Amino acid sequence: MKKTLLIIIIILLVGIGIYYLVGTISKYKLNQENSKSESPLINMKTSFPVEKDSIKKPTDMIIRINDSSFIPSILTIRPGTKVTWVNNESVTHTVISDAPGLFESGNILPRQSYSTTFLESGTILYHCSLHPNMKGRVIVVVEK
């Protein structure tokens, strides 16, 4: 009788352990799926050196044009990343690299966008030619 009771208790404890383990795994998977659906924006306000984990893998990135500014104003990415500027304002803007010839959007009308892909490492400064106070920076880094 005591052996049977002990076996039942052990089976119950193992069952409860498995129940909590499965629940923990499900929560982990749900958190992983939710993190994938978050906005791919990076709000980089850090100074160098850039930590390895803060550099996003090549993927499409978005810079929003809001309140006469680029958000984020500093974006750190890997080579091969496509960056799209989306004009969320009611006025026209441009996106032009400070270094001549790298990229130039032309006029980005309200609710329109402009994209370019960054293939080489380096720091690229850019601005809006129509609003000189609007400036941004894209930092393209290769993980060492």
Side-chain angles (χ1 to χ4, degrees):
M1 176 80 170
K2 288 184 180 184
K3 281 187 175 182
T4 305
L5 185 58
L6 184 60
I7 290 172
I8 291 172
I9 291 172
I10 291 173
I11 291 172
L12 285 172
L13 290 174
V14 169
I16 291 170
I18 291 172
Y19 174 79
Y20 282 109
L21 180 63
V22 168
T24 302
I25 290 171
S26 295
K27 286 180 186 175
Y28 174 76
K29 286 182 179 179
L30 182 60
N31 286 340
Q32 291 255 325
E33 290 171 7
N34 287 342
S35 69
K36 289 178 186 174
S37 67
E38 291 178 4
S39 172
L41 293 177
I42 305 173
N43 189 2
M44 294 296 294
K45 298 282 185 182
T46 60
S47 58
F48 286 96
V50 175
E51 293 183 25
K52 200 158 105 174
D53 293 340
S54 69
I55 305 166
K56 294 292 183 183
K57 293 180 180 174
T59 185
D60 291 352
M61 302 298 284
I62 296 172
I63 296 176
R64 293 173 287 130
I65 301 174
N66 284 349
D67 300 324
S68 293
S69 61
F70 297 111
I71 302 172
S73 62
I74 301 173
L75 180 67
T76 302
I77 58 173
R78 295 184 191 275
T81 302
K82 177 182 172 184
V83 176
T84 300
W85 286 264
V86 179
N87 183 358
N88 292 323
E89 296 196 313
S90 60
V91 297
T92 301
H93 291 285
T94 66
V95 178
I96 300 173
S97 62
D98 289 1
L102 290 181
F103 58 87
E104 184 172 345
S105 67
N107 288 336
I108 306 173
L109 300 174
R111 306 293 176 217
Q112 298 297 312
S113 64
Y114 166 76
S115 299
T116 191
T117 301
F118 293 88
L119 300 175
E120 297 182 21
S121 62
T123 298
I124 298 93
L125 302 175
Y126 65 91
H127 63 278
C128 173
S129 64
L130 303 173
H131 307 95
N133 59 322
M134 292 179 61
K135 298 179 183 185
R137 180 183 326 170
V138 174
I139 303 167
V140 185
V141 295
V142 178
E143 183 181 334
K144 292 182 181 180

